[in-house]
Amino acid sequence: MPFVICKVNVPVSREQEVELKERFGRAIELVPGKSERGLLVAVEDCCRLWLAGDDDPLAYVQADVFANEGHVGYAAFSAEMASAFKDILDIPPERVYVRYGDIPVWSVADMLVDLRMFI
């Protein structure tokens, strides 16, 4: 289950949010074994984000992914994310920062999934 949280310092309309969600769904498929079917997305707009002393349009993305310790597909995912923010919110690619987190264990309801179960 990948989880993508994006924070931007610009307003995001409902239509733009849906476009972002759809692009994130396609982008996550660049990571082997991942798809939109299991993707959880959060979009936070109008955040107070500053970079190098200015608040020009900026995006910070946290992408947490289960069972991809080799980080396969992350470069392509990052490129697609930067492209999505440029196309939809006009945020320059050099102002889109992606932070990755490795998820070793997660759960939903009474189901627990631990990476060690697959080793």
Side-chain angles (χ1 to χ4, degrees):
M1 181 213 62
F3 182 25
V4 174
I5 304 168
C6 72
K7 296 174 183 261
V8 297
N9 62 352
V10 297
V12 178
S13 70
R14 174 71 176 156
E15 293 79 20
Q16 289 171 318
E17 185 174 15
V18 170
E19 281 185 79
L20 286 170
K21 184 258 324 164
E22 290 171 356
R23 291 284 293 270
F24 296 173
R26 289 195 298 271
I28 200 63
E29 292 179 357
L30 298 168
V31 178
K34 307 304 177 200
S35 72
E36 184 178 18
R37 186 167 186 256
L39 178 62
L40 180 61
V41 173
V43 177
E44 299 177 23
D45 69 345
C46 298
C47 293
R48 295 180 179 153
L49 297 173
W50 297 79
L51 176 64
D54 69 57
D55 65 347
D56 291 343
L58 174 67
Y60 175 78
V61 178
Q62 180 176 332
D64 295 322
V65 181
F66 176 73
N68 189 14
E69 292 176 326
H71 307 148
V72 178
Y74 284 6
F77 176 85
S78 292
E80 177 55 28
M81 295 298 281
S83 179
F85 283 106
K86 174 63 176 153
D87 295 347
I88 299 165
L89 299 178
D90 201 29
I91 297 175
E94 64 273 9
R95 293 187 61 87
V96 176
Y97 289 82
V98 181
R99 174 184 165 227
Y100 291 96
D102 294 320
I103 300 174
V105 62
W106 61 274
S107 70
V108 61
D110 64 346
M111 181 179 69
L112 179 73
V113 181
D114 189 326
L115 183 59
R116 293 174 294 182
M117 296 166 69
F118 302 98
I119 299 175

